Amino acid sequence: MSPKYLPLLLPMLLSACTPAAQTPPPAPTVEAPVRTQVTDLDAFNAFVATRPTPEVLRQRYPGLTVVLPGDISTRELRSDNSRFFAEIDAESRITGGRFQ
């Protein structure tokens, strides 16, 4: 091969030897929790009467926002029964509360 072609071939050879630019993997999508409304208040009150723990209440109503005493919350007014301010006893069991 003639040395006069080397300046033409050198950039092609170097680009073939360097790793291609890697595209980063797409960022994982984070789905917003679905807000659950409590529509059957009698069933909800019967469940709260069993004195569940906050974890059990969140498992039973996964989209319900459960606010415990001492939790920080906004002052928005929700009229759809999607946020429950729980009252707890000394054993950290829910004894009652109110929707707001």
Side-chain angles (χ1 to χ4, degrees), residues 3-94:
K4 68 179 184 178
Y5 294 112
L6 191 57
L8 297 174
L9 293 175
L10 190 59
M12 290 180 3
L13 291 173
L14 288 176
S15 68
C17 293
T18 57
Q22 298 275 336
T23 56
T29 58
V30 178
E31 295 182 20
V34 177
R35 183 185 288 183
T36 301
Q37 302 175 9
V38 176
T39 55
D40 189 356
L41 290 177
D42 292 333
F44 181 80
N45 289 331
F47 180 71
V48 169
T50 64
R51 296 180 54 226
T53 62
E55 292 80 24
V56 172
L57 180 65
R58 288 182 179 116
Q59 288 174 359
R60 177 80 177 259
Y61 296 92
L64 180 68
T65 302
V66 180
V67 182
L68 300 175
D71 286 352
I72 297 172
S73 66
T74 60
R75 295 185 137 225
E76 68 181 295
L77 180 64
R78 295 184 189 175
S79 60
D80 60 356
N81 293 344
S82 64
R83 183 169 58 175
F84 182 70
F85 287 83
E87 298 169 356
I88 59 172
D89 61 7
E91 298 173 351
S92 297
R93 295 193 169 269
I94 298 174

